Amino acid sequence: MKLAVVGGGSTYTPELIDGFARLRDSLPIEELVLVDPAADRLELVGGLARRIFAKQGHPGRIITTSDVDAGVADADAVLLQLRVGGQAARKQDETWPLECGCVGQETTGAGGLAKALRTVPVVLDIAERVRRTNPNAWIIDFTNPVGIVTRALLQAGHKAVGLCNVAIGFQRKFARLLDVAPGEVHLDHVGLNHLTWETGVRLGGPGGDDILPRLLAEHGDAVAADLRMPRGLVDRLGVVPSYYLRYFYQHDAVVEELRTKPSRAAEVAEMERELLAMYGDPTLDEKPELLAKRGGAFYSEAAVDLAASLLGNGGSPCQVVNTVNNGTLPFLPDDAVIEVQATVDGKGAKPLSVPKLDPLFAGLIANVTGYEDLALQAALHGGRDRVFKALLAHPLVGQYTYAEQLTDRLIAHNREHLAWA
C-alpha cells in the first residue's frame, strides 16, 4: 500500500507518522511519500519520520519529495494537510478582522474566508494531478476550512472525504470522564465542519443508551471549562457544542479577548521553531511532548481509521466525517457538505440518519451553509463582489459596513495568493 501526504513538511506530521507506526496492522503501509515544497523543513521532518518508523519496527519506506506528480503517482490514498501562505498568512487572518470588530480566526468568519480563497484553487490543482496519475485514489482532506474544501473536491468529481479531529477529541475526553474505553463512546455528532453539536453520547454504539444528561449533570463544569463557555450556557443548550461555537455564542467577548493577547499564529510559529530544532536532532526518534500543544490531537488515529475503511482494511463501522448531505439534513441542499456520523467503506461515506434538529441549531447550520456556498463561488471564480456577498452572508459579519471594510482588507492582505486580484 502506498500513501502520500501533501503538506508532509508540516511540523505536525510526526504525530501522523507515530499513528501510522502504532496502528500498522490497520494500515499496512509499504511506501509513504511526504510531499512539500519547503525542502528544508521536509528534510528535517522526513528524517524524524524515518527514525520513528525504525524505532517502532515499521518496515515501510518513507520518501520525501517536492514533486507533487511523482509523490502522488500510484498512491492508494492522498492526505491533504497544507497551509497556503503558512503561519504568516494565518497571522493576518487572525488580526485584520479585529480592526473591524469581527472575530479573527483561521477557519471561520472573514479569516476563514480568506483561507478558503487561498486554498481551494491549490487543492483542486493537486486533486487533478492525483486524478491524472491514479483516478482510483482516495483523497482525505484535513486542510481547513475542511467543509468548503471538501465540497470543492466533491463538486469537481473527486473521490474525497473530509476529516476533522473535533469529534475524536470529544470521544476521548468523554471516555476519560466516564472511565470507559474510547471505543465504547458513540457520539450523535451533527452540523458543519467547526459548527457542530454533540446531541447525544451513547455507550456501546449508535443504538446504545444516551448518557449525555448524566455526563452534563456529573461533569458539566469540566465540559464547560474545556469549551471555555459558561456552564449555564451548556446546561441551557442541553448539548455539547464544539469549541468553535464560542465565536458565535460569545462573539463580542471573544473579540475583546483576542485584541489583548498574542495571536494563535504567533504562538504556533514559536512552537514550530522549537519543534524544527528538535527534529534536527539525529538522536530524536519519537514525537516530542511539545507537539501535543501544536493542535490536531488524535488526528493520526482518525486518519488511520478513515483510510483503513476506504481502502478495505477494516476500520470502525461508524466514523465522523465530512461528506455530501444527500438529504440527511432535509433543510440543506443535497450537495452541501455536512459533518456527521457515517458508515465508511471502499465506496465512500454514507451518513447515518439524523433526528430532526432543534431550530436553534438547524437555523445556524442553514445560515452558514449559505455562506459556504457563496464562499466556494468566490474561491472558484474570484471577484470583489463575490467576496463581499460571502462576507455579508456570514453570521459573524452580516452588516454592510463591516462586509465592505473586510472585503477591502481581505483582498489587500491576500493579493499575492489571488490570481484574479
Side-chain angles (χ1 to χ4, degrees):
M1 179 185 299
K2 175 180 177 179
L3 264 65
V5 179
V6 179
S10 167
T11 54
Y12 190 72
T13 297
E15 169 66 29
L16 190 60
I17 299 299
D18 179 72
F20 287 157
R22 288 186 292 102
L23 304 171
R24 56 184 174 272
D25 290 342
S26 299
L27 201 64
I29 299 171
E30 298 167 290
E31 184 175 307
L32 177 63
V33 184
L34 304 181
V35 184
D36 203 291
D40 53 342
R41 293 167 63 105
L42 191 58
E43 181 180 356
L44 295 173
V45 173
L48 175 57
R50 294 185 185 98
R51 295 192 296 273
I52 291 173
F53 263 30
K55 180 180 182 179
Q56 298 196 32
H58 195 296
R61 184 169 61 129
I62 295 178
I63 298 170
T64 58
T65 180
S66 296
D67 187 332
V68 174
D69 292 317
V72 303
D74 301 320
D76 296 287
V78 177
L79 281 70
L80 304 181
Q81 55 170 38
L82 53 142
R83 182 183 294 280
V84 180
Q87 294 299 331
R90 176 180 181 172
K91 184 176 182 180
Q92 292 180 349
D93 294 344
E94 293 176 346
T95 52
W96 54 263
L98 296 174
E99 298 169 4
C100 301
C102 296
V103 159
Q105 212 278 330
E106 65 157 341
T107 64
T108 192
L113 176 60
K115 194 172 197 303
L117 297 182
R118 294 192 303 268
T119 305
V120 166
V122 175
V123 166
L124 289 178
D125 176 69
I126 293 169
E128 285 299 329
R129 294 166 183 259
V130 173
R131 182 149 54 188
R132 287 198 301 267
T133 59
N134 183 7
N136 294 317
W138 278 103
I139 295 176
I140 297 174
D141 178 60
F142 192 63
T143 297
N144 281 318
V146 168
I148 296 173
V149 172
T150 302
R151 189 171 182 180
L153 288 165
L154 291 172
Q155 288 188 357
H158 298 289
K159 294 176 60 177
V161 180
L163 182 63
C164 181
N165 69 319
V166 166
I168 193 172
F170 273 133
Q171 182 198 44
R172 298 300 199 269
K173 291 170 187 173
F174 295 165
R176 288 197 302 271
L177 292 173
L178 297 166
D179 195 25
V180 299
E184 289 295 303
V185 177
H186 175 91
L187 303 176
D188 292 345
H189 179 102
V190 62
L192 310 176
N193 180 240
H194 289 184
L195 192 86
T196 53
W197 297 263
E198 310 309 323
T199 60
V201 178
R202 303 180 184 277
L203 293 183
D209 293 335
D210 181 10
I211 51 88
L212 177 57
R214 176 188 135 200
L215 177 72
L216 292 179
E218 297 178 359
H219 305 285
D221 287 341
V223 171
D226 188 61
L227 296 171
R228 298 178 64 193
M229 293 184 189
R231 168 74 186 268
L233 171 60
V234 176
D235 285 341
R236 292 179 73 176
L237 292 174
V239 302
V240 180
S242 79
Y243 168 86
Y244 292 90
L245 267 299
R246 284 189 76 226
Y247 302 118
F248 296 83
Y249 294 153
Q250 300 169 274
H251 177 273
D252 293 353
V254 173
V255 167
E256 290 307 309
E257 173 190 316
L258 295 175
R259 282 173 165 167
T260 60
K261 70 176 189 179
S263 68
R264 173 63 177 166
E267 295 175 356
V268 171
E270 179 56 36
M271 281 185 222
E272 289 195 333
R273 283 190 285 271
E274 295 182 44
L275 287 169
L276 288 172
M278 293 178 183
Y279 296 170
D281 179 358
T283 65
L284 182 67
D285 56 8
E286 60 185 13
K287 62 179 183 180
E289 291 184 8
L290 178 61
L291 190 55
K293 299 179 181 180
R294 171 65 178 80
F298 307 114
Y299 165 46
S300 58
E301 285 90 341
V304 169
D305 204 14
L306 178 54
S309 294
L310 292 172
L311 299 176
N313 286 282
S316 301
C318 297
Q319 301 172 42
V320 173
V321 297
N322 285 261
T323 191
V324 67
N325 180 41
N326 273 345
T328 307
L329 300 181
F331 55 89
L332 297 184
D334 284 347
D335 65 350
V337 165
I338 59 176
E339 186 172 294
V340 293
Q341 288 277 4
T343 58
V344 184
D345 57 25
K347 296 180 181 179
K350 182 179 180 181
L352 301 181
S353 62
V354 175
K356 184 178 180 180
L357 283 179
D358 188 306
L360 180 63
F361 313 132
L364 187 53
I365 291 171
N367 191 334
V368 176
T369 297
Y371 151 76
E372 290 191 346
D373 182 63
L374 293 168
L376 182 54
Q377 294 307 309
L380 293 174
H381 306 295
R384 186 186 188 281
D385 193 52
R386 290 189 180 92
V387 174
F388 167 79
K389 288 179 179 178
L391 287 168
L392 189 63
H394 201 295
L396 296 184
V397 180
Q399 297 184 52
Y400 168 74
T401 302
Y402 289 168
E404 279 283 289
Q405 295 173 353
L406 290 167
T407 297
D408 290 337
R409 284 168 168 77
L410 186 155
I411 294 173
H413 284 284
N414 292 274
R415 199 175 300 275
E416 65 180 297
H417 300 291
L418 306 176
W420 53 268

